[in-house]
């Protein structure tokens, strides 16, 4: 299954292959073939994250956003099971290893931009936390000029296809020198 808008790469496989030959600085493409691989991607990605990082996750329902965030939480060594914060909007997972806490936000139910999320105080939490926002596109970009955006494509409809095509795009100075292809 080819991700919408993705360039065809015959060498690409469902085993976590990364393609940084797209010509875009700060962009990588990764294919994962199972929820376990998505979680492992989160653990690997956590090694690149530090306090002050904003990670935006975009993808259809069931794309694997929370599974990836669960892996991030494991990689960051945070307390508590990372589950979908859909009905509570946000969960804070303190670090167990003297690292930054993970703030996990689900903006699906929030209609507007950052103003609708003002009560969450994300701007206050950002300097000392890693903030992951599901469904944040068009809502949280104003928080910082630097962010990592993961666009997750999956087959839609009645399918058992577990393959996900992920495009990682680093935005801003923070991500300019980061080799996303190393994830």
């Amino acid at each position: 299954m080819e991700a919408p808008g993705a360039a065809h790469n015959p060498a690409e496989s469902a085993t976590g292959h990364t393609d940084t030959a797209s010509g875009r600085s700060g962009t990588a493409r990764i294919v994962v073939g199972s929820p376990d691989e998505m979680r492992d991607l989160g653990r690997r990605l956590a090694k690149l994250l530090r306090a002050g990082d904003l990670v935006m996750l975009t993808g259809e329902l069931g794309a694997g956003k929370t599974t990836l965030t669960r892996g991030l939480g494991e990689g960051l060594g945070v307390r508590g099971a990372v589950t979908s914060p859909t009905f509570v909007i946000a969960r804070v997972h303190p670090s167990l290893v003297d690292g930054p806490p993970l703030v996990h936000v689900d903006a699906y139910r929030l209609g507007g931009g950052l103003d609708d999320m003002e009560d969450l105080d994300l701007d206050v939490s950002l300097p000392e936390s890693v903030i992951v926002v599901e469904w944040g596109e068009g809502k949280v970009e104003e928080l910082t000029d630097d962010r990592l955006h993961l666009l997750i494509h999956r087959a839609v409809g009645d399918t058992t296809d577990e393959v996900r095509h992920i495009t990682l795009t680093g935005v801003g100075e923070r991500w300019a020198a980061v080799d996303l292809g190393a994830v």
Side-chain angles (χ1 to χ4, degrees), residues 43-177:
R43 285 190 291 267
R44 293 191 320 265
L45 186 58
K47 294 176 185 175
L48 298 178
L49 298 177
R50 63 184 187 210
D53 283 342
L54 172 64
V55 179
M56 293 174 29
L57 304 178
T58 302
E60 299 90 358
L61 286 170
K65 296 178 295 295
T66 300
T67 300
L68 182 115
T69 306
R70 191 169 294 124
L72 287 172
E74 291 169 5
L76 290 170
V78 299
R79 184 179 69 208
V82 175
T83 60
S84 177
T86 299
F87 295 104
V88 295
I89 310 300
R91 295 185 195 278
V92 177
H93 299 273
S95 177
L96 295 172
V97 296
D98 294 325
L102 171 67
V103 178
H104 184 199
V105 179
D106 186 331
Y108 182 74
R109 297 170 58 120
L110 302 175
L114 197 54
D115 290 342
D116 278 1
M117 298 173 61
E118 187 174 319
D119 289 340
L120 300 177
D121 288 330
L122 296 179
D123 54 336
V124 174
S125 300
L126 183 59
E128 69 270 354
S129 304
V130 170
I131 297 181
V132 177
V133 183
E134 298 184 26
W135 305 97
E137 192 170 18
K139 298 175 184 173
V140 296
E141 290 90 340
E142 295 174 31
L143 280 174
T144 178
D145 291 334
D146 301 307
R147 61 192 166 277
L148 181 61
H149 187 187
L150 281 75
L151 179 60
I152 306 169
H153 289 287
R154 70 171 184 91
V156 293
D158 186 19
T159 180
T160 59
D161 188 358
E162 295 290 339
V163 174
R164 305 295 192 258
H165 297 260
I166 302 139
T167 303
L168 294 87
T169 304
V171 177
E173 189 176 321
R174 154 71 174 106
W175 295 100

Side-chain angles (χ1 to χ4, degrees), residues 17-34:
H17 174 77
T18 303
D19 170 21
T20 55
S22 65
R24 289 185 63 188
S25 174
T27 299
R29 287 184 175 74
I30 297 173
V31 178
V32 297
S34 70

Side-chain angles (χ1 to χ4, degrees), residues 2 6-12:
E2 187 81 17
H8 177 68
N9 180 354
E12 192 171 76

